Each structure stands twice: as C-alpha cells, then as structure tokens.
Amino acid sequence: MAFNYTLASARDALKKREISAVELVDAHLSAIERLDDRLNSFITRTPDQARQAAKQADEQLAKGEGGALCGIPLGIKDLFATENVRTTAASRILDNFIPPYESTVTANLKQAGAISLGKLNLDEFAMGSTNLTSAFGGVENPWKRKGSDARLVPGGSSGGSAAAVAAGLVLGATGTDTGGSIRQPASFCGITGVKPTYGRCSRFGTIAFASSLDQAGPMAQTVRDCAIMLEAMAGFDPKDSTSVNKDVPHYEAALDRGVKGLKVGIPKEYRIDNLPSEIAALWDNGIVWLKDAGAEIVDVSLPHTKYGLPTYYIAALAEASSNLARYDGVRYGERVSGKSLDELYEATRSAGFGDEVKRRILLGTHVLSSGYYDAYYLRAQKVRTLLRRDFLQAYEKVDVLLTPTAPSGAFAWDEKPTDPVQVYLNDVFTVPASLAGVPAMSVPAGLDSQGVPLGLQLIGRHFDEETLLAAGFVLEQAASFTHRPTLHAGVSA
C-alpha cells in the first residue's frame, strides 16, 4: 500500500483505523533510510523508540483513546532537550550530552501522542541562515533548480526540520525562531512555518541562543498541520518565567473564519531596493488573493524597519554571549584539558565552538563591554521599543500584515557569501516581527524562475495566532502550491 499523507489526513486515517501507527512510522523510517544519507537532516535517529511508541499508539487508538497527535511521526529540532536522547545543538561542545529531563514543548507533543523519529540538524546553536554551520555537516535542500543538480541550502537555523518535512521524511517538525529561523527555511523548502507570539510556547528545555527572542513553533506541509501542532505545543509553563498564562485556542477551528472584513496592511518599508521582480510580483499576487477573498488592503508604515537588522544583531549576539558562557568544560559538555582554568576554558571553547558561534560570542561580548554597552546594547534596546511601537500603531489600523518572507529563494552551497553580513541580510523581512514579539508565519506561494519555492509572510497581533492562521489558510488555498521537491520520499508501506 502506498500513501502520501499530510499530518491532518494521517490523523484522520489513524482514527478511522484505515492505517496503523506502526505502518505509518515504518514507512517514514524507511524514507529516512532511503534519503537522509544525502539530505543529512537528522543528527540522531531513534527508530527503536519510535516503533515501540507506535505499538502503544495503536493500542490506544484501538480503544478510541489517544491525544490529538496520537501515532503521528514528527522530527524534533536538536535544540530541544529530550530525556535520555542525545541533544547536541549541532555543536561539538555538546557532542555527547544526554539530558536527564524533557523540554516542555516536546513533553507536550508526547502527551498529545506524537512519535519522535529523531533529532533534526540545525545551524550550530541556531546561529545561521543556511544550515551550513552545523558541526555534523550541512543539510541539503530537497529542491533542485531546473536543469541543475547543485546542492541548495535549506535555510536556517531550522534547516533540518524544513528539509525533513519537505522531503516527506516526517509529517511535521519542531523549529525555533529567533530572527526568522522557522519562517526563512520554510520559505526556502516550500513548506509552512509558524513563529508564535513570544511567550506562547515554553522555552524550558530549549537550548538558548537569545532568550528574549527565541520561540518554538511548528513546521509542516500545510497551515492546518501547523495549527494542529501549535495547539499541542503551546501553553503556560511555570518553569519558564517568560511563558504567558493565556488559554490556548482551538487553532484548527479558526481556519474557516476567512478574511472577509479583515484589514490587511502592506508595509511600504518592505519594498526594499533591489527586491527581485519575481518576489515583488508574488507579493502583489498575495495582495490580490486576500482582496478577492474579501479583505481590505491598507497601506501602512513601519518607519523603524530599516533599523531592524542592526538592532537584532546587537541584541541577539549580546544575549548569545551571555547564554553560551555556561559552556566552559567544567559542568557538562566536552572538555579539553589545560594547565590552568583559563587554558581549560580557552581550549574547550576553541575546539567545541564553530567559527560562526565564535564570531557571535566575540561580537556580543564586545557590545556588552565597558565603554560600549551604552553605545550599542542600550541603544539597540531603545530602538527595539520603537520597532515594537511601529507594529502596535499599525495594528490600530489593520488586523494582519502581508510581506515577502525572504529576499530570495534558496541558493547553492557554493554560492554562500564570504561576508557574514551578506548572509545576515537573509533575515531582513523576518527580524522586525521577532524584535516586536508578534506572531508571524510563512506560507509557500510560488516558484521562482529557477523552480525554487518562494514564501509569503503574514504578521499578526500579539496572541492573535487565530487570525494569522485564518489568513494563512486563505493564502494557501489561493496559491494552490502543490509542487513537490525532486528529492521526495513518496512514502509507501
């Protein structure tokens, strides 16, 4: 028997007993065996645990029991601590770290019945936009350009999650988004990704990059799939001081709301210089699709947008410098001995961290240092307040914003700019929402001239993921994105 399910359709088929969880899990494990040696989307595979969990899921389903995700095979970004399963953050410094505890997000997914097939690759410590900074090798995007076999980047940092979903190796995956690390790879790989409001999903047990920005979210084939996952992932957690105690809505039910009567804002500052014409055209298509569905299109201004990237890279790197100070070779993680404590620190960090992580630690330490704190970090925090105010003022006029997700489609591994700043520019459309803490999502909406996916981004009000998902569902239906990558499992059992 052969099948090609979305998460939602697999859920329904499992409940009707049209397929078993064991069949579904085995089919996806076989797909991983066939394709992932090339894609390298997994760091750690857990087939034995997955098969055992599938048997238990079938027992529950036979009794008419089980949670919303019972029997659904997922992948977990290797930034989430998983009890008794290696968690590396794609860094040599955590090469053999096996947590004795579970992150809240993965615990919530387990409670809902989801089955993990393993830990997914990422940019080291979630620092990157290409998934080429991983200590375990880069991830290949399953998409190909027309007439070319060049390896494309999947985006980052959640590139392993995006590639695994796009290739059909899992039905959904967890990601984390600090400045676009769910949305940009979702766009590059032709899938849907949601960054919830900051505080909607617990950060407990998620290895920190920038604590005031990091937020977990779902990555899946469709908007409906993401809505189902997000409802399971979200919720108040007293173990996370930034978790917000708000009820979690029934997100899937919100999909049928439509956009009739909604006001959709088009921020003029996102029409940047040198925006590729095909991305501008896709954006215009998105505007027409929402208007035809009954939305009112309103031009808005987010005047401090141009300060988003520098503000983000000051604030995020400063927090990274502080968060990564714990990796010193003393308490846990890899250790390289030295003749003194200073030498132990230096040798451990030199061997354990990759070049991009070292660069960000050094820059973050610099902006926090005496004499530079006021000039850089404090000023960045003030500008961040202005950026947040821009969004709040815009939402006095509109309900949701529509923009491109990224300034390009996926590029080849060997086209990676040597200047790190050029790589950072991939986040130009995604970092403002992160700095403001508002929810945002990327929906696949078309292909560029080379046959590579392009996404459109929707940005919503704080804790109004329901409107965001409803608008995303309308976009998805209008775009009718049914393309599949060259490297796709075509899961069968």
Side-chain angles (χ1 to χ4, degrees):
M1 130 177 110
F3 47 77
N4 192 7
Y5 289 111
T6 64
L7 186 154
S9 63
R11 172 200 62 181
D12 296 342
L14 284 165
K15 287 182 178 178
K16 294 175 184 175
R17 309 303 291 143
E18 295 172 355
I19 55 168
S20 70
V22 168
E23 289 172 329
L24 192 62
V25 165
D26 278 341
H28 285 86
L29 289 173
S30 296
I32 293 168
E33 288 291 329
R34 293 199 309 273
L35 279 185
D36 203 55
D37 285 345
R38 174 163 182 173
L39 296 177
N40 197 35
S41 64
F42 280 83
I43 291 176
T44 302
R45 303 177 191 176
T46 55
D48 293 341
Q49 296 96 313
R51 289 189 175 101
Q52 182 60 39
K55 291 177 184 177
Q56 295 172 354
D58 280 328
E59 291 172 3
Q60 289 182 300
L61 289 163
K63 299 174 184 176
E65 300 174 354
L69 293 172
C70 190
I72 297 294
L74 301 180
I76 304 299
K77 184 177 181 177
D78 202 15
L79 205 65
F80 294 87
T82 42
E83 186 176 6
N84 298 324
V85 176
R86 184 172 70 144
T87 302
T88 70
S91 179
R92 289 297 174 197
I93 209 161
L94 287 175
D95 199 354
N96 297 304
F97 175 54
I98 300 178
Y101 61 96
E102 189 83 18
S103 79
T104 297
V105 162
T106 52
N108 288 349
L109 289 169
K110 277 187 176 182
Q111 182 67 28
I115 298 171
S116 170
L117 304 188
K119 306 299 287 294
L120 293 164
N121 209 341
L122 63 146
D123 281 303
E124 185 180 8
F125 279 102
M127 298 182 189
S129 302
T130 61
N131 214 145
L132 299 183
T133 72
S134 170
F136 301 92
V139 173
E140 182 175 349
N141 191 325
W143 288 83
K144 295 291 182 186
R145 291 172 176 162
K146 294 176 182 176
S148 171
D149 195 43
R151 293 185 299 178
L152 303 182
V153 302
S157 65
S158 305
S161 298
V165 171
L169 307 187
V170 292
L171 290 178
T174 61
T176 61
D177 194 307
T178 305
S181 289
I182 286 174
R183 291 162 286 159
Q184 185 247 21
S187 178
F188 276 19
C189 291
I191 66 168
T192 303
V194 179
K195 180 199 86 70
T197 308
Y198 182 80
R200 176 63 90 181
C201 292
S202 171
R203 292 187 303 109
F204 176 78
T206 307
I207 296 172
F209 164 15
S211 301
S212 73
L213 295 159
D214 299 342
Q215 189 62 193
M219 304 178 74
Q221 293 179 51
T222 69
V223 175
R224 184 176 300 276
D225 291 354
C226 283
I228 295 166
M229 277 189 69
L230 180 59
E231 189 171 338
M233 294 168 66
F236 175 65
D237 181 10
K239 296 192 289 291
D240 174 11
S241 63
T242 62
S243 177
V244 177
N245 193 357
K246 291 181 74 74
D247 291 339
V248 177
H250 183 21
Y251 290 126
E252 189 177 6
L255 300 183
D256 296 325
R257 288 183 180 181
V259 295
K260 190 172 183 179
L262 285 186
K263 294 183 178 180
V264 178
I266 309 300
K268 64 180 183 180
E269 289 80 9
Y270 281 60
R271 293 199 182 272
I272 59 174
D273 294 337
N274 302 317
L275 180 68
S277 58
E278 53 196 357
I279 293 178
L282 185 69
W283 191 8
D284 290 338
N285 286 343
I287 292 170
V288 172
W289 292 335
L290 292 174
K291 186 175 181 180
D292 287 348
E296 178 184 346
I297 306 302
V298 180
D299 291 329
V300 297
S301 177
L302 303 172
H304 296 93
T305 296
K306 63 182 178 181
Y307 303 115
L309 273 177
T311 299
Y312 170 80
Y313 277 100
I314 290 171
L317 271 53
E319 293 182 24
S321 169
S322 176
N323 279 324
L324 270 62
R326 69 194 69 178
Y327 303 105
D328 52 16
V330 175
R331 289 162 288 185
Y332 61 93
E334 297 300 299
R335 174 186 295 185
V336 179
S337 299
K339 295 178 181 178
S340 66
L341 187 60
D342 285 347
E343 280 192 16
L344 181 147
Y345 287 165
E346 183 178 345
T348 297
R349 288 164 159 258
S350 179
F353 290 142
D355 290 344
E356 182 61 28
V357 172
K358 291 174 185 174
R359 179 184 295 115
R360 296 193 184 203
I361 290 172
L362 287 169
L363 288 169
T365 303
H366 175 72
V367 302
L368 289 176
S369 62
S370 177
Y372 294 97
Y373 181 91
D374 289 350
Y376 291 106
Y377 185 70
L378 189 59
R379 182 173 295 181
Q381 294 304 319
K382 292 177 179 178
V383 175
R384 183 176 181 178
T385 300
L386 297 176
L387 282 157
R388 186 174 185 272
R389 188 183 302 167
D390 285 350
F391 280 97
L392 294 176
Q393 290 175 345
Y395 290 130
E396 293 175 1
K397 303 175 183 176
V398 299
D399 301 292
V400 69
L401 302 172
L402 176 69
T403 77
T405 304
S408 73
F411 47 88
W413 279 30
D414 57 8
E415 292 169 357
K416 177 187 174 185
T418 55
D419 179 3
V421 174
Q422 293 301 312
V423 178
Y424 298 164
L425 290 173
N426 279 289
D427 301 330
V428 64
F429 296 138
T430 54
V431 294
S434 295
L435 289 164
V438 292
M441 69 184 298
S442 179
V443 178
L447 302 177
D448 70 9
S449 58
Q450 299 183 85
V452 173
L454 298 173
L456 288 175
Q457 177 180 222
L458 288 159
I459 308 173
R461 289 190 177 99
H462 289 100
F463 296 103
D464 189 15
E465 286 86 0
E466 290 170 285
T467 299
L468 190 73
L469 290 162
F473 190 57
V474 169
L475 267 186
E476 178 182 67
Q477 291 177 310
S480 190
F481 187 91
T482 57
H483 309 282
R484 287 292 176 263
T486 305
L487 299 173
H488 190 270
V491 170
S492 61

